[in-house]
Amino acid sequence: MTMNSSTGKMPSFRVGSVRLWDSQTRWANLEPRQAQFDWTILDRLVAGANQAGLPVLFVIGGTPQWAAPDAPRMAYDDGSRAALPDDLAHWDAFVNALARRYRGRIEAYELWVMGNDSRYYNGGVERLVDASSRASRIIKGIDPKARIVCPGMGQLWKDEALQGMRRFAELHGYDHCDAASVKLHQRSAAEPPETMLDLLERIDRTFHQANVHPSVWSTGTTYEILLENPLDAERARAYAVRYFLVGLYGRRLNLRRMYFYNWGGSRIPLVLQPEGGAPTAAALAVEQLQNWLDHAELSACGHGLAVNRPENVWQCQFSMIDASGRHDATLIWTDKGTADVVTGPGQITVHQLDGATTQADPGGTTRVSELPVLLEHR
């Protein structure tokens, strides 16, 4: 989850990692005057995450006004600049201070929020590669176990944005990182999450064209989607779960981690938990998905005719491990409407995301919908 909160409170449903950006932790917040640091909020957030056992991904970005006075502003009220500092020695000094303070407590560092969108970065790609190289060298020298994530790349449905990412690759920017950050999202909030795979294919082709093959972390969405109308509760529940299931399909294209945007916000199309509120039904469905797969090994994912299913059906197959040994299970759903699927021989238990279970007739059919169910085979 990307945290849209500065309180230090963590999600009260089960998540795997937190990312700090819209949490009053931009560089401009942390160093409002040169060499005068205010770590109060970041200390609180890192302590909260550490206490909850959640790895932290920290985003370095949002240059303070004093370091780039003539650069364009980001769309924030803290004066953050959409450019690197005029003198990269200031960048080096901040990264050094940050890494020393949080050595062993911050798992990974993302080196800019959006490196190919002028609203967030207005500067040359060459300079961004240089800054990435410098930051990586500094952080690894202080905290060798820290993971370096190259600057986020967004708007990737657009060809010109893909070209910006490709240019960063051609200049060997990804040589300095353990993972590439991309903004993986649908064209609109109402589109099925499975359409993100089309975007991931575009991203993968672009990397191949540049002859790079980085691990990929999805770290957010586009600002335009956040302004769209909210999803109804049932669709929100289905889309939240399928967002992460798409990540399993993406493993063949080097997708290794997905951060949902965001936790804490309430004015976004899909809310998981507003700050100060309880988890929504969508959040509890994501938690149920994690509980299902706690002791599972992924075998394969596929959809439609390729897996002998109706064209609107998607599935992932697992080997489940428990005290009695191993048995097979299938997570199955549709991207639109319903479908009747053959459940196969043997005892089949159908698990719903709300915790309900039913038994399916051996060799019979089960109707599946846009809300994933788990078919447990014994």
Side-chain angles (χ1 to χ4, degrees):
M1 299 289 147
T2 292
M3 303 298 289
N4 187 25
S5 168
S6 59
T7 63
K9 293 182 179 178
M10 295 292 119
S12 59
F13 61 100
R14 185 178 177 186
V15 304
S17 178
V18 292
R19 174 176 175 267
L20 306 183
W21 174 246
D22 285 328
S23 47
Q24 297 182 40
T25 55
R26 283 178 286 277
W27 181 7
N29 305 126
L30 301 175
E31 192 180 5
R33 289 169 294 281
Q34 184 177 355
Q36 296 183 29
F37 299 101
D38 183 354
W39 304 110
T40 306
I41 292 175
L42 186 53
D43 279 350
R44 187 162 62 225
L45 285 160
V46 171
N50 291 167
Q51 186 174 5
L54 297 175
V56 175
L57 170 60
F58 179 81
V59 184
I60 305 175
T63 302
Q65 183 272 338
W66 61 261
D70 299 322
R73 288 175 175 262
M74 284 186 174
Y76 303 107
D77 60 6
D78 54 22
S80 298
R81 272 13 191 199
L84 290 159
D86 297 340
D87 184 351
L88 284 180
H90 297 316
W91 167 264
D92 295 348
F94 173 71
V95 172
N96 188 293
L98 179 73
R100 289 188 182 281
R101 186 174 185 88
Y102 297 101
R103 178 173 47 200
R105 294 191 289 153
I106 287 180
E107 180 211 24
Y109 296 85
E110 184 180 345
L111 301 183
W112 200 268
V113 64
M114 198 94 77
N116 63 341
D117 186 330
S118 61
R119 295 172 297 180
Y120 299 92
Y121 177 70
N122 196 298
V125 180
E126 293 81 0
R127 204 154 190 261
L128 192 60
V129 170
D130 184 19
S132 299
S133 170
R134 297 163 76 124
S136 178
R137 185 170 58 253
I138 292 167
I139 294 168
K140 290 286 190 179
I142 295 169
D143 190 353
K145 293 183 179 179
R147 305 177 77 177
I148 308 300
V149 183
C150 269
M153 299 290 169
Q155 304 286 310
L156 296 172
W157 286 105
K158 301 176 181 178
D159 290 341
E160 59 270 27
L162 279 172
Q163 291 308 309
M165 185 180 75
R166 179 173 174 173
R167 180 60 178 158
F168 186 87
E170 290 170 342
L171 292 171
H172 304 285
Y174 292 107
D175 292 354
H176 310 296
C177 306
D178 300 303
S181 165
V182 301
K183 310 303 177 184
L184 194 59
H185 56 82
Q186 309 100 299
R187 291 181 186 271
S188 72
E191 280 194 351
E194 293 76 18
T195 61
M196 292 192 293
L197 291 171
D198 295 334
L199 178 57
L200 190 57
E201 292 275 5
R202 287 166 58 89
I203 292 168
D204 186 64
R205 283 197 301 272
T206 301
F207 282 143
H208 275 277
Q209 290 164 0
N211 197 31
V212 298
H213 309 281
S215 293
V216 177
W217 290 13
S218 174
T219 57
T221 183
T222 178
Y223 184 71
E224 287 76 11
I225 282 184
L226 302 178
L227 302 177
E228 294 179 11
N229 294 327
L231 302 178
D232 65 74
E234 191 68 5
R235 180 168 288 186
R237 196 155 65 112
Y239 279 21
V241 172
R242 285 157 50 192
Y243 171 84
F244 288 106
L245 287 175
V246 163
L248 298 183
Y249 281 80
R251 287 187 63 82
R252 67 180 179 85
L253 299 175
N254 292 328
L255 183 62
R256 293 293 177 264
R257 197 177 289 196
M258 297 182 78
Y259 287 87
F260 183 86
Y261 190 93
N262 61 54
W263 181 87
S266 59
R267 297 181 180 180
I268 51 178
L270 204 171
V271 176
L272 293 185
Q273 184 177 14
E275 187 171 15
T280 63
L284 296 178
V286 170
E287 184 171 67
Q288 181 66 275
L289 173 67
Q290 294 179 85
N291 292 336
W292 281 347
L293 301 183
D294 219 3
H295 301 286
E297 292 179 356
L298 178 66
S299 301
C301 290
H303 84 279
L305 300 179
V307 290
N308 298 314
R309 300 292 195 187
E311 191 58 38
N312 64 335
V313 172
W314 297 68
Q315 69 176 33
C316 287
Q317 295 172 295
F318 301 88
S319 179
M320 313 295 279
I321 306 163
D322 60 22
S324 63
R326 288 176 176 263
H327 59 278
D328 295 332
T330 304
L331 258 165
I332 192 164
W333 68 97
T334 68
D335 57 17
K336 185 178 182 181
T338 62
D340 292 326
V341 299
V342 177
T343 53
Q347 179 182 342
I348 308 293
T349 303
V350 182
H351 297 268
Q352 308 287 343
L353 284 165
D354 62 4
T357 61
T358 56
Q359 298 300 313
D361 294 331
T365 61
T366 293
R367 177 156 292 184
V368 296
S369 70
E370 297 177 31
L371 201 63
V373 296
L374 180 71
L375 306 180
E376 197 169 16
H377 313 272
R378 290 186 183 271

